[in-house]
Amino acid sequence: MGKSIVILGGGVIGLSCAFELQSRGHRVTLLEPASCGGQASGAAAGMLAPYSENLEGPDDFFRLCLDSLRLYPQWQQTIKQISKQTFEYTPSGSLYLAYHSADLLALEGRLLWQRQFGSSGSVMTGDELFRLEPLLSRDVLAALYTPEESHVYAPHYVSALEQACRLIGVNIQDRLEQIEIVEWKHEVLVRSAGRHYFNGDYLVVCSGAWAQELAQTFDMNIPVYPIRGQICAYESSKHPVKHMVFSSQGYLVGKENGTLVCGASEDVAGFDTSVTAKGIDRLKRWNHRVFPFLNDLEPFHRWAGLRPSTQDGFPLIGPISKSSRVTIAVGHYRNGILLSPVTAMLVADGIDGIQAATSIEAFSPERFERSLRI
Ligand code: FAD
Ligand code: GLY
């Protein structure tokens, strides 16, 4: 029989969990203090880029990202069908640039291990590279080409997810003030201002960069911190960019609406989402070194979002030991859009008592308790 589930947070993670759980026959209520997608999820560049975002090697986090990338073709199609809304999903492939011969060895090394994990990539130089992306600066020496990576238009994807949730019957309560967990051990009871109560069998915490606020409630360490990403967009329909382009200093993604999205800073600024001249100027200086045509253009849009970062860089996904009624799904840092389908599957499998297809031990929300005890 379906269970009743309360989800805290209407970002991409909360909405994806809500969609998956309601689709499996549960009754989901999602509580959001502002508007769905109004925080990190609506600010994201939308890149689905596990190879380019994981430079170190094939660790558990990379494998999780790769599992999620592989879920995307079916997942995005389902969201479009159910929501009756469309959004950009472009299998563009990506280029990771090198400017110096000293960096070539690193590209070759990454290609070696990434090939063992499904990449059909190659290191490209000279005419071959400039045929692929003609507007690139001729200062670029080489690039690691990864055809498997893709991107979505994040604000539209999140809006479609919200609409899909509503159409299958998720009870979305947004603009709630003073959301407070009243009971979570023997049953789930959440209260908001005006003495509105929401009860359920299970609670799923998806409150992104704000998750640490619940550490006291659950009497556990939840080391999640906001890291601001400042980002901007140029109108560039006269200068089409075909691939996602990464450098050690940032990335540029050409969207099908003719904009070129360029990100992003990593600032420690608390919960401040202001955009600063310093942050955007640094991006602009690098953007010119990638695409010289940007010398003549100014970004028409600048914005910022708060990535939920964690102490060890891995998200927290899974139940807590103090109550099997509580599952946490937070801390997706730079990859929450990419990780949304796999997180939804893991959370729903956990609540359904199904052995997860992906190993989640490395993402246990309890791992910081263990390190405290050592
Ligand atoms: P959020 O979207 O922040 O949602 C959390 C929600 O919880 C918010 O709506 C908030 O109002 C709500 N909330 C807060 N407190 C409570 C409470 N007490 N009760 C209930 N609800 C609460 N990822 C990618 O995969 N690819 C990218 O290209 C990419 N680019 C990015 C670019 C930038 C500039 C930024 C900032 C992020 C980017 N990310 C990207 C990362 C991605 O945006 C995040 O990992 C993801 O959005 C996190 O989703 P979330 O649902 O956990 O958080
Ligand atoms: N994944 C891109 C970013 O977080 O800026």
Side-chain angles (χ1 to χ4, degrees):
M1 210 182 82
K3 292 151 187 153
S4 78
I5 296 160
V6 178
I7 294 184
L8 298 185
V12 73
I13 300 299
L15 289 167
S16 299
C17 292
F19 179 77
E20 183 61 24
L21 286 161
Q22 185 84 18
S23 302
R24 293 190 189 189
H26 302 299
R27 300 176 303 284
V28 178
T29 300
L30 182 147
L31 309 181
E32 164 58 49
S35 53
C36 289
Q39 294 292 347
S41 303
M47 298 179 298
L48 312 176
Y51 300 96
S52 300
E53 290 267 16
N54 289 281
L55 306 184
E56 302 305 326
D59 60 6
D60 288 321
F61 183 67
F62 167 76
R63 287 167 214 258
L64 187 74
C65 289
L66 193 56
D67 284 351
S68 210
L69 180 72
R70 289 172 176 164
L71 291 171
Y72 244 97
Q74 179 63 54
W75 173 260
Q76 57 89 28
Q77 210 176 345
T78 306
I79 301 302
K80 284 175 181 164
Q81 270 165 5
I82 305 282
S83 66
K84 301 185 180 64
Q85 285 184 195
T86 191
F87 54 87
E88 178 180 5
Y89 169 65
T90 302
S92 58
S94 65
L95 295 168
Y96 199 108
L97 308 183
Y99 287 80
H100 306 288
S101 49
D103 298 326
L104 271 175
L105 202 60
L107 291 192
E108 298 281 2
R110 272 169 40 207
L111 178 60
L112 270 183
W113 73 257
Q114 292 181 350
R115 279 213 171 132
Q116 292 168 25
F117 291 88
S119 168
S120 60
S122 54
V123 173
M124 292 196 166
T125 54
D127 287 350
E128 191 186 23
L129 171 61
F130 298 124
R131 260 198 306 277
L132 211 58
E133 197 62 63
L135 299 175
L136 272 182
S137 163
R138 283 353 186 213
D139 290 342
V140 176
L141 189 67
L144 176 53
Y145 172 48
T146 310
E148 284 73 22
E149 298 190 318
S150 48
H151 60 97
V152 292
Y153 194 83
H156 291 175
Y157 164 49
V158 178
S159 156
L161 258 178
E162 179 183 351
Q163 178 69 353
C165 283
R166 289 185 189 278
L167 289 176
I168 61 171
V170 175
N171 175 14
I172 296 183
Q173 300 279 332
D174 53 12
R175 296 178 174 79
L176 291 181
E177 285 174 24
Q178 293 165 28
I179 297 171
E180 195 188 338
I181 299 169
V182 180
E183 172 57 52
W184 51 278
K185 282 191 172 149
H186 308 294
E187 58 169 331
V188 169
L189 189 62
V190 181
R191 179 173 58 209
S192 71
R195 301 190 70 75
H196 296 294
Y197 285 89
F198 306 94
N199 65 345
D201 304 314
Y202 288 88
L203 180 70
V204 185
V205 176
C206 304
S207 50
W210 291 265
Q212 195 174 152
E213 289 170 1
L214 297 175
Q216 215 178 344
T217 303
F218 300 130
D219 186 27
M220 67 182 281
N221 196 11
I222 308 180
V224 178
Y225 315 96
I227 295 290
R228 181 173 64 186
Q230 299 185 54
I231 182 165
C232 63
Y234 298 83
E235 204 298 304
S236 99
S237 37
K238 291 202 184 102
H239 303 90
V241 169
K242 293 187 279 186
H243 302 86
M244 289 181 285
V245 178
F246 291 85
S247 74
S248 61
Q249 303 298 315
Y251 53 81
L252 300 100
V253 195
K255 297 292 179 183
E256 71 185 7
N257 66 4
T259 62
L260 184 61
V261 172
C262 309
S265 68
E266 290 188 328
D267 319 327
V268 178
F271 289 91
D272 180 0
T273 52
S274 323
V275 176
T276 65
K278 192 175 161 202
I280 299 297
D281 284 350
R282 196 193 68 80
L283 293 177
K284 280 166 59 183
R285 276 197 300 280
W286 265 95
N287 294 342
H288 300 173
R289 290 203 57 195
V290 178
F291 288 116
F293 72 82
L294 290 174
N295 266 316
D296 304 323
L297 298 178
E298 264 298 305
F300 73 98
H301 185 30
R302 300 148 198 244
W303 69 99
L306 301 174
R307 303 180 187 90
S309 84
T310 65
Q311 191 174 305
D312 61 4
F314 281 22
L316 282 63
I317 306 173
I320 65 172
S321 58
K322 292 195 175 94
S323 168
S324 58
R325 293 182 184 276
V326 179
T327 296
I328 294 187
V330 299
H332 295 72
Y333 192 38
R334 294 179 61 96
N335 290 285
I337 302 294
L338 168 62
L339 289 168
S340 53
V342 81
T343 303
M345 301 302 157
L346 290 173
V347 166
D349 284 352
I351 288 175
D352 285 342
I354 297 170
Q355 173 78 40
T358 304
S359 160
I360 56 166
E361 177 62 17
F363 311 111
S364 163
E366 303 283 333
R367 65 188 185 272
F368 305 102
E369 306 299 304
R370 285 196 291 271
S371 59
L372 277 181
R373 263 185 260 124
I374 289 169

